Structures are given as C-alpha cells and as structure tokens.
Amino acid sequence: MPAIRSAKTRKPPPDGFDDIEDTLLEFSNKMKDAENASHEGRKKHEMQWPIFQITHQRSRYIYELYYEKEAITKRLYDWLLKNGYADANLIAKWKKQGYEKTKETNFNSTCVCRVPRKQLKEDQEIECVSCGCRGCCSSD
Amino acid sequence: MSGPLPPGWTQHTAPTGHAYYYNAETKHSTYTRPTLQPPPPPIAALTQPLHYNPEQNVISPEFLAATTHHAINYGGHVPSAYQSGYPHQHIQEPRDLRGRGGFRSGRDGFDRRRQLEDRPKSKHTLPGCEPWVLVKTKLGRRFVHNTETNESLWRFPDNVRHGVTEFDRLEREREVGKEGTGANDVPLGTKRQKTEEEMQREDEEALAAELAQEAEKAGEAAEGDMVTVAPRPSFAPAPAVNRGQEAGDSSSEYEEIEVTDDEGEEDGADPKSAEATDNPPAAETGPVEFNEDDIAYQLAAMGADYGLDPGEYDDGNGAEGWEDGAEGLPLTEEDSTALFRDLLDDYGVDPYTLFDRVVEDGQIIEDERYTTLETMRARREVYDAWAKDKMAVLKAQREKQMKLDPRIPYLAFLEQHATPKLYWPEFRRKFKREPEMKSTAVSDKDREKLYREHITRLKLPPSTLKSDLSTLLKSIPLALLNHSTPLAALPPQMLTDIRYISLPPATRDPLIVAYISTLAPPPADGSALSAEEEAAQAKEHVERLKRDQALEERKNRVEEEKRKQERERAHGRGRLREEEREIRKAMVVGKGGLRSYLQEAVADDVSEREERETVVLEPV
C-alpha cells in the first residue's frame, strides 16, 4: 500500500515557487469559478471554453517564465508540469514552427486560430468547438 | 502714512489705487513709504523683490493679485502696465486702434485676467529653516514666507533654498515610498536652473527679434497715438522675460522666479533685466524718449488687450520666432520606455504577475508616466522586457545574498512562544495558523525536534545555559563576529543554534554585547567593488532625473497648450457675446425711436399728400 501523502507530509515545492504562487492561485480560483458557472442556456461545448482559455493562459504563463524570461529553474518547471499547473502537450505544440501561439491541442485536427485570415470567407463566423476561438490567426 | 518724504521722493497713485513712491534720482519706485533713513542697499533690494507692505499679512489676496500680473504671465499674454498694479499711469491707451474685436473694452466688466488670479493654497514648514515657511499657490507656484519678519520672496534666499530642496526630497520620497534618493538633489537643482536660464535666454532672444520686426511694421501707426511717457519707473518688463518664465515656472522648483515688480530690479544682477533696461537713463522727470523697445512693448500690451498671443498676430517670421508649442512631444521612444520602467520600479510591481493583473489593480494607471507609451501593446512589450530583467536581477540578488536559513524565523518564533507547559501537539495546534508553523521550508519533523530540544533546555539551570552560550560565542570565527558587529546583525551560525535562544533576551543580550566588546576589529577587506557599484548607481540616478525632467517639460507644455485653448475659447465667447449684444441693440427699437420713426413716416405721408393735393388743385 502506497504511503498516503497529506499536506503535512508533502515535500516542499522547489525554490522559486513562492514567487509565482499568488498568480497560480488566482488561476486556480478562476478555474473553479469557470467549473462552477451555470450551464443554463449554453451549449455543452460552450461550457468548456473558459476552461480551455484558463488552461491556455496558465500554461502560457509558465512557458514564458521558463523559456522566454528564464525566471524559473528547470526543477521548478518540471515540478509544475508534473503537478498539472501547465499542459505539457500544449507547450510541446508551441515549440513547433507555425504553432507558436496556438490555443489548444486540437485532437487530430487544427484549431481555427491557425487558419490564416485570408483563407476565411468574408462573413464566415467560425468558433472553434473546443476553445471558442473565432480565428485569431495567432501566428500570421 | 506720516512724516515728510525724504528729498527726491515723490508720491504717486497707481491705477489700482495704491500709493507708490518714486525717486527720480535713483529711478527707484516702491510701495513702502520711504523714511529719512538711507534707502536699503541694492543687495537687500535684490533679495527682497517683493517687499510689499510688510505691516499687513503678506500672503493676502491683494498681495497676490498685485504680484500675479507681474510674476507670471500665463499663456503668453503680456502684463500691460496700465491694467495691473504697475505704476505707469501716464500712458494713454490707444483706443482708436481697437477694432470691433476689442471685447474687453471695459464696458461689461468681463475681465479675463480676473480668472487667472492666484491664491495661496497650502503652507508647509521647511525643516531646518524655522521662521520660513513654503507657501504653494493655487496655480502651483511657490514662494517662501518668513513668519517672523512677514517677508515673502519668490526667489528663495540661499539659506532657505537647501531647506526647500530638502522639503522636496521628503515630499518625493513620500510619493514614491522609497528612500535614499536625495543625495544628488542639490547639484541637480542648480543644473536645472542653469538649463532653465539658457532656455529663457533663447526664448527671449527669439521674441525680441520678433517684436523688433513687428515694431518696424506697426511703428508709424503706434507712434501717432502714443504720448510720450512721463516718469517712467526703471524697467520695461520685456514680454520675453515673462514668457520664458512662464515656460519654466512650474517645471523647476529651484529656479529663481523673477518677479518683475517695480523695485529693486535695477541693479542689473539679472541678465534679463539688464537687457530689458537698455534704454538710456533719462533725465529726472523729463519726457523719456520713445524707442523701439517701448513700441514693441506697447504693441505686445495691445496684443494682450486684444487677447492675442504673440504668435497670433501676423508677423513676418511666423511661428519659428516664438516658442514651439506642444505639437512635438519632446520624449523620445527610449525615454518613454525608460519612464515606464521607472514607473514599474517605483510602484514595486511584482515581476511575476501578469500584465493584465497589474493594469487591473489600477495603481500605475493613475501615474503620469503611464501615458508616455501610447498603446497597450507597447506597454505590454515593455512590461515583459522589464519583468525579464527584473527577474534576472532578483535571481542574481538571491544568489548573492547569503541564503537565509529557514530555521531562523522558526527559532525566533519558538523563543517567543514556547513554554514547558505545552506538549508539541498542543503547541502545534495552538499556533497552526502562524506562517512559521505553516511554511514548507522546514519540515514538520524538524520543527518537532527543535521544539522538544528547546523545551528540555529551558528546564536546565541558567548557569549551564550561560556557559553553553559562551562556548557558542567562542566557536564563531572573527570574520563573522567581531568588534563592529551590531547586535541586530549577528551571524546566522549563531541564530540557528539552539543554544542561542535558550536564555531569555534580557539576560542574553548584555552577555553578547560584553563579549563582542572584548573582540578585535574585523580583518581588513577590499571594498573596491562597492565603490564601482556606487558609481553605477549614481549614474543611473542622474539619468533618471533627466528623464523625469523631460516628463515634467512635456507636462508643462501640454498644460500650456490647454491654457491657450482655454483662453482662445474665452476670447471667442467674449467676442460672441459682444456680437450678440450688438445684434440685440440693433433689434431693439425704443419707444422714442419707434415714435420718431412713425412721425417720420407720417410726415412723409403728409408731405406726399400735400404734394398730391397741390397737384390735384392745380388744374382747378
């Protein structure tokens, strides 16, 4: 039987976690609000959109801290990924050319935010089913 | 108001009703009644340009009203001598030169200048210069006032100036919430002052050239109307002086605001007044020759009467002669970026937060420097760059800093709260909300161990504890603990030791102090690095002050532009009112007017009828 890890016995997070703790706490509060938001009058997939957005923001925050601002250590970064603060698969996408800012890991297909503005028709209203993106052409 | 005047002095009445006194020999005019004592030496006169009626409270509104027109001339309209309290009464106003735009010809009492009057707003004590207080006015100007001698000066005397700088520094610190930036203030103040003066001089020259040209053009027209001037107090307030001043008055605090009042300015200590009084010293009371400067001055005054700026009336050299307005912002991109970074630094923004969050908090939005960058995208970019740098700096600092042992705060906490009466579980339950008990840096196991150890030691006799403490003290090397170590900065090796907290501070501290006093001074260390760092810091400080100044200038320009617009609007409104009145006058037909009109008509009718009758009668 594995040891039960309570708050009392947990290992302390790596150095530098104190700095970003407040921001991460804010994200988790937002996430809780999004999870508990009322679903009335909204489509089932629409309910997921804020959750995708928050996940994206939080992953982006950690990604930038590690890769662009180089403010956190490898150890802390790994710890954050392991503990679910950031989505490793999403970050893996951002490292690919052409996917630098994509909003989500669109399974087996491409998010509309990767479709160039030119290729969209004039009055085409598209919202990505997963994340609600209307085509931000983020990597144009 | 008694006693005869000394010989050479004559009494006159200013247009405002104040009596003033004029000495034709020294060409000195003053509001204070001269007595038979010798007149004050010129140095005193220089430092007391506003020696105005010292019996009454000096910062009374009349005082300011009387000085405002001289001291500052907002938005470039010129202090006309005949309307402010300037004793210059013999000039005839050239009324016939006014067009119909002269809306403030005195009929309606609509006086724009009334709105610009200044009032004292707040009073501040100056640290170190006791009888002097700094008074700020409604329009943001400042002067010092001596509460004992009731003396008020726009120009800060030397002994007071450092008090003012000190005051400013304190104020700035209070604003910024940061300490220790005042080191370079005094040299900066003088430097600023210098640049300010240079600016003024340039301005002045440009304006003088412009006015001279204008004078040539309109000279003949003006000369016919203007009567020669009788006793002329010793200066001509060249408009340039006032303009330069106006540009600078709120931007630099230490600048010597020149108050062009009519006394004590003749000693030529100021390049400006020297330049301004270049007309030849005239005979005592005889008519003064009217030279080009005077004409230019009169023209400018007329322009002010019309509510025009020097740039508004059409002169040959157009816009380049006078001050370039707020159209071109003086801040470069670098400056604005740096200012924005300063802003972030000053507000102590956490670089680990998101930019959106910082903006949402709204602290930085209120600041002037927030607007130096115009787009949100630019701000975000600057923020990201700043955050990156800041994080790197923090990281370096942390590495450099000796790592604070997490046990130190916990042990200090134990020292305060631990008693042998509580078992560890009880203690933990009681203080579980405290940050020392919650922190993850020390594991729970360690906490418990330290607690138990501490409690067992508390039960030991004090003599054992004292001997333990002395062995601890002796074990610490001289580099860490020496003669110059203060009690508040003991080495961490001591603070983390359980023997250190076993004794209560009341008995422990004297022991430590006594031990430290027996130690040798610290072994010599090189501090070359710190000198280098200091130089870098000083450089940064200077750069930063420069940027702040640029920002201040920009602000001033914007304000000036605003004022100008306001004035134009007021002018337009006045003109509109005038026109409306004229139209109304034309529309109204008085009773007598109507009757006369009717009578005229009737008379016409009668005469016509008579004519007709005669015509009719003739054939009969």
Side-chain angles (χ1 to χ4, degrees):
Chain A
M1 188 176 159
I4 296 168
R5 290 194 180 271
S6 67
K8 203 176 85 183
T9 56
R10 80 173 174 144
K11 262 205 291 186
D15 292 342
F17 182 71
D18 298 344
D19 296 330
I20 59 173
E21 197 172 11
D22 290 341
T23 309
L24 291 177
L25 202 66
E26 234 166 68
F27 276 126
S28 72
N29 287 341
K30 261 194 213 166
M31 184 63 106
K32 271 180 197 157
D33 287 347
E35 281 166 354
N36 296 326
S38 158
H39 63 276
E40 272 178 34
R42 295 166 78 189
K43 287 172 197 154
K44 200 174 177 185
H45 59 268
E46 254 177 73
M47 291 302 296
Q48 308 288 330
W49 292 352
I51 291 170
F52 270 93
Q53 280 169 17
I54 294 164
T55 315
H56 166 81
Q57 279 177 6
R58 189 168 54 187
S59 300
R60 191 84 205 173
Y61 173 64
I62 289 167
Y63 170 82
E64 280 179 0
L65 277 184
Y66 183 62
Y67 285 104
E68 284 170 21
K69 295 176 184 162
E70 291 163 359
I72 58 176
T73 57
K74 170 86 177 145
R75 192 158 155 259
L76 177 58
Y77 177 69
D78 287 341
W79 186 87
L80 288 169
L81 288 186
K82 189 186 155 200
N83 285 275
Y85 286 100
D87 185 352
N89 291 329
L90 188 54
I91 289 179
K93 288 256 182 204
W94 292 334
K95 291 180 196 165
K96 278 164 67 177
Q97 196 184 15
Y99 291 80
E100 283 89 354
K101 284 176 183 169
T102 185
K103 288 279 186 318
E104 41 119 7
T105 50
N106 203 342
F107 316 98
N108 298 328
S109 136
T110 325
C111 176
V112 70
C113 63
R114 279 204 13 84
V115 180
R117 184 64 84 185
K118 267 186 226 158
Q119 289 179 24
L120 291 175
K121 282 166 205 155
E122 279 297 309
D123 48 353
Q124 197 176 12
E125 277 297 317
I126 282 189
E127 285 173 333
C128 170
V129 179
S130 308
C131 64
C133 179
R134 285 163 183 273
C136 54
C137 320
S138 55
S139 35
D140 266 1
Chain B
M1 292 291 168
S2 60
L5 286 167
W9 288 88
T10 47
Q11 182 175 357
H12 303 272
T13 316
T16 51
H18 292 95
Y20 73 94
Y21 306 91
Y22 177 62
N23 190 338
E25 282 170 22
T26 59
K27 299 181 78 153
H28 187 97
S29 59
T30 174
Y31 281 114
T32 51
R33 189 179 178 85
T35 49
L36 283 171
Q37 277 96 28
I43 297 153
L46 172 69
T47 51
Q48 301 171 9
L50 273 187
H51 192 59
Y52 172 73
N53 218 358
E55 290 85 30
Q56 77 190 64
N57 185 10
V58 186
I59 51 172
S60 65
E62 300 95 30
F63 156 76
L64 273 170
T67 55
T68 313
H69 302 312
H70 296 303
I72 291 207
N73 178 12
Y74 279 92
H77 73 90
V78 182
S80 65
Y82 8 89
Q83 286 182 9
S84 51
Y86 179 60
H88 204 272
Q89 55 192 353
H90 300 282
I91 299 173
Q92 300 266 313
E93 235 173 289
R95 294 225 174 228
D96 33 353
L97 278 188
R98 294 160 173 258
R100 61 190 284 280
F103 65 90
R104 39 182 310 279
S105 48
R107 269 184 291 171
D108 47 355
F110 171 71
D111 191 351
R112 218 153 21 81
R113 229 157 281 195
R114 266 304 113 71
Q115 299 166 0
L116 295 174
E117 270 177 17
D118 208 349
R119 297 233 178 313
K121 197 177 162 199
S122 57
K123 198 166 81 174
H124 309 272
T125 51
L126 289 173
C129 325
E130 266 342 291
W132 291 94
V133 289
L134 183 73
V135 182
K136 290 186 177 173
T137 67
K138 209 174 71 185
L139 293 178
R141 297 183 296 145
R142 313 170 336 149
F143 61 89
V144 287
H145 172 63
N146 192 330
T147 49
E148 278 172 14
T149 60
N150 271 352
E151 202 177 13
S152 294
L153 304 174
W154 292 108
R155 188 193 302 255
F156 305 140
D158 287 338
N159 53 344
V160 180
R161 185 169 307 141
H162 70 261
V164 176
T165 34
E166 181 72 7
F167 170 78
D168 285 343
R169 190 176 64 78
L170 287 177
E171 202 174 46
R172 208 174 310 139
E173 267 175 24
R174 217 175 303 136
E175 268 173 24
V176 173
K178 205 174 91 180
E179 282 171 20
T181 53
N184 293 352
D185 273 4
V186 181
L188 176 90
T190 52
K191 192 178 132 203
R192 251 195 202 178
Q193 187 180 315
K194 258 181 224 155
T195 55
E196 211 65 52
E197 268 173 18
E198 277 168 24
M199 233 174 68
Q200 275 183 349
R201 220 160 295 147
E202 276 169 25
D203 254 358
E204 202 180 306
E205 276 162 23
L207 231 113
E210 173 216 345
L211 284 172
Q213 243 191 38
E214 189 183 314
E216 276 171 21
K217 241 170 54 181
E220 319 88 46
E223 225 160 1
D225 287 319
M226 280 174 215
V227 186
T228 42
V229 186
R232 188 178 174 148
S234 59
F235 87 117
V241 174
N242 292 289
R243 281 187 62 81
Q245 207 170 300
E246 165 227 340
D249 64 354
S250 46
S251 78
S252 93
E253 300 99 314
Y254 316 115
E255 171 213 12
E256 299 178 354
I257 296 172
E258 192 200 339
V259 181
T260 44
D261 208 343
D262 45 355
E263 48 180 328
E265 289 292 345
E266 68 207 300
D267 21 42
D270 240 305
K272 291 170 293 222
S273 61
E275 206 169 300
T277 55
D278 56 352
N279 44 353
E284 281 94 89
T285 49
V288 178
E289 213 176 298
F290 224 92
N291 60 11
E292 216 164 65
D293 272 358
D294 291 334
I295 294 167
Y297 169 66
Q298 296 294 346
L299 271 173
M302 273 158 51
D305 275 351
Y306 285 107
L308 293 175
D309 277 334
E312 268 176 75
Y313 30 81
D314 182 38
D315 48 348
N317 51 359
E320 67 268 18
W322 41 289
E323 197 175 349
D324 40 351
E327 52 268 8
L329 293 180
L331 288 179
T332 61
E333 201 171 316
E334 270 172 37
D335 272 349
S336 41
T337 309
L339 275 169
F340 194 75
R341 293 175 80 117
D342 286 346
L343 163 76
L344 293 169
D345 278 333
D346 284 350
Y347 279 87
V349 175
D350 182 8
Y352 292 96
T353 48
L354 294 167
F355 178 66
D356 298 332
R357 178 77 203 172
V358 175
V359 173
E360 256 174 50
D361 282 347
Q363 271 184 323
I364 59 165
I365 297 178
E366 307 293 322
D367 201 283
E368 173 85 10
R369 287 169 287 184
Y370 183 75
T371 55
T372 52
L373 293 172
E374 270 148 26
T375 59
M376 212 60 179
R377 169 174 258 181
R379 281 181 206 135
R380 189 185 294 272
E381 272 167 15
V382 173
Y383 177 81
D384 281 345
W386 171 81
K388 188 175 174 182
D389 294 350
K390 187 85 180 171
M391 284 168 185
V393 167
L394 282 179
K395 205 170 158 190
Q397 248 178 22
R398 248 170 240 167
E399 272 166 16
K400 201 172 163 190
Q401 203 179 40
M402 211 184 310
K403 212 172 179 189
L404 187 71
D405 199 310
R407 281 181 304 170
I408 292 173
Y410 177 69
L411 284 174
F413 180 77
L414 277 192
E415 187 186 348
Q416 273 192 330
H417 298 287
T419 59
K421 289 176 189 163
L422 289 178
Y423 291 116
W424 166 245
E426 289 168 333
F427 180 80
R428 195 177 61 192
R429 198 182 324 127
K430 189 174 177 188
F431 294 106
K432 69 179 173 194
R433 300 263 175 245
E434 303 297 325
E436 287 87 353
M437 297 295 283
K438 274 203 296 190
S439 80
T440 51
V442 187
S443 75
D444 215 34
K445 213 182 260 177
D446 285 341
R447 268 200 287 261
E448 186 180 351
K449 196 174 144 205
L450 283 171
Y451 181 81
R452 289 184 190 284
E453 207 174 318
H454 180 54
I455 294 300
T456 49
R457 284 186 59 78
L458 281 184
K459 291 171 187 162
L460 292 176
S463 57
T464 332
L465 296 181
K466 275 179 192 169
S467 62
D468 279 352
L469 183 66
S470 66
T471 47
L472 169 66
L473 285 171
K474 274 168 199 157
S475 70
I476 296 192
L478 190 66
L480 294 174
L481 189 68
N482 48 51
H483 189 67
S484 58
T485 313
L487 196 63
L490 291 172
Q493 273 168 301
M494 262 184 83
L495 296 178
T496 50
D497 201 293
I498 198 84
R499 287 174 287 180
Y500 173 71
I501 62 163
S502 306
L503 278 171
T507 54
R508 180 190 64 201
D509 289 348
L511 284 177
I512 296 175
V513 170
Y515 177 74
I516 283 176
S517 63
T518 62
L519 287 173
D525 269 348
S527 59
L529 190 78
S530 74
E532 232 170 65
E533 272 175 5
E534 236 168 58
Q537 268 182 1
K539 195 178 158 198
E540 195 172 308
H541 186 64
V542 167
E543 267 175 12
R544 179 171 182 162
L545 287 169
K546 215 186 283 170
R547 285 198 300 268
D548 282 350
Q549 198 182 346
L551 181 72
E552 190 78 17
E553 265 165 31
R554 184 180 92 131
K555 198 169 133 196
N556 281 341
R557 276 193 204 181
V558 170
E559 259 171 24
E560 191 187 321
E561 192 73 0
K562 260 188 206 159
R563 253 185 255 134
K564 203 168 161 187
Q565 275 178 3
E566 186 62 38
R567 216 173 40 242
E568 268 164 23
R569 218 176 298 138
H571 179 63
R573 246 182 266 138
R575 193 171 242 176
L576 202 66
R577 219 174 294 161
E578 180 108 333
E579 273 171 13
E580 264 175 16
R581 202 179 306 114
E582 269 173 25
I583 291 171
R584 224 180 295 136
K585 208 184 258 173
M587 297 280 278
V588 167
V589 183
K591 250 183 190 169
L594 187 61
R595 196 180 299 144
S596 65
Y597 177 77
L598 284 176
Q599 274 170 358
E600 243 170 54
V602 167
D604 280 358
D605 236 347
V606 167
S607 61
E608 221 170 275
R609 206 175 297 151
E610 275 172 8
E611 257 176 46
R612 213 178 297 146
E613 272 171 13
T614 51
V615 170
V616 170
L617 282 178
E618 253 179 29
V620 176

